[in-house]
Amino acid sequence: METFNTREITKLIRYRRSLYPAQYSEEVIRKEIIDEILENALWAPNHKMTEPWHFTVFTGAGLKKLAEFMASTYETVTKANGTYNEGDHEKLATKPLLASHIIAIGMKRDLKERLPEIEEIEAVACAVQNMQLTASAHGIGCYWGSGGITYFEEAKEFFGLGEKDRLLGFLYMGIPKSKWPGSKRKSLSEKVVWIEN
Ligand SMILES: Cc1cc2nc3c(=O)[nH]c(=O)nc-3n(C[C@H](O)[C@H](O)[C@H](O)COP(=O)(O)O)c2cc1C
């Protein structure tokens, strides 16, 4: 059995932060790092080994394609259902262009539906955490965004997702141009109950 430096692992887990596109420089993340981030996603726990994750990576001119798709899909869907907001539309058309890479986070449902859908979603969330930790270890900023078109049925096909699959959001990534942010958490005692006898 191997042993690991838990002090480093704990430090990384607590160091990980969400960093947003406005905080990224124009520098592009090296391909080897993106590959490592994606490879580590594949090692997340998943029930019955369904490996339900499905990623689409956008970079370079791909980011423009993504921004155009996000903005136009948002416009079509929200103008039809009366929830259109000009500011939100503008954000979708411009924010993706500030990232180095964006990974669309998809869940592909087991064809035999051998487990509850929530477990497939949970496995993908674990995969996203692997990606966030790997990115943080490289000093790369990222955040999981679930706004905009994330839950629009009309968006799925563009990301290679079928009817039973789910789009869970987007992992925006970039090299930070400013200080790494801090955060805080509630105390353990507020979140944990021990039953000992
Ligand atoms: C499933 C999920 C969806 C999220 N969606 C958004 C989002 O749409 N917009 C946003 O600003 N942050 C989003 N976040 C990031 C959270 O805002 C962030 O994790 C939280 O503020 C805690 O900060 P930290 O990640 O730096 O610890 C999302 C996080 C998760 C896990």
Side-chain angles (χ1 to χ4, degrees), residues 54 105-108 156-157 159-163 165-167:
H54 181 77
I105 306 159
M107 181 282 277
K108 272 202 178 280
K156 288 180 179 176
E157 197 184 337
F159 303 101
L161 299 167
E163 203 189 324
D165 308 332
R166 294 258 210 150
L167 179 62

Side-chain angles (χ1 to χ4, degrees), residues 16-18 20 143-147 183 185:
R16 182 214 55 78
R17 286 280 72 74
S18 294
Y20 300 89
Y143 97 99
W144 181 347
S146 55
S183 190
R185 289 296 189 264

Side-chain angles (χ1 to χ4, degrees), residues 29-38 138:
I29 303 162
R30 284 189 289 119
K31 169 88 166 52
E32 305 90 85
I33 296 179
I34 298 294
D35 285 341
E36 185 187 341
I37 288 169
L38 289 163
H138 282 287

Side-chain angles (χ1 to χ4, degrees), residues 94-115:
T94 55
K95 283 270 171 67
L97 308 178
L98 301 174
S100 162
H101 291 71
I102 297 176
I103 301 176
I105 306 159
M107 181 282 277
K108 272 202 178 280
R109 187 82 167 108
D110 176 48
L111 293 176
K112 297 196 189 111
E113 298 186 22
R114 286 171 297 163
L115 41 129

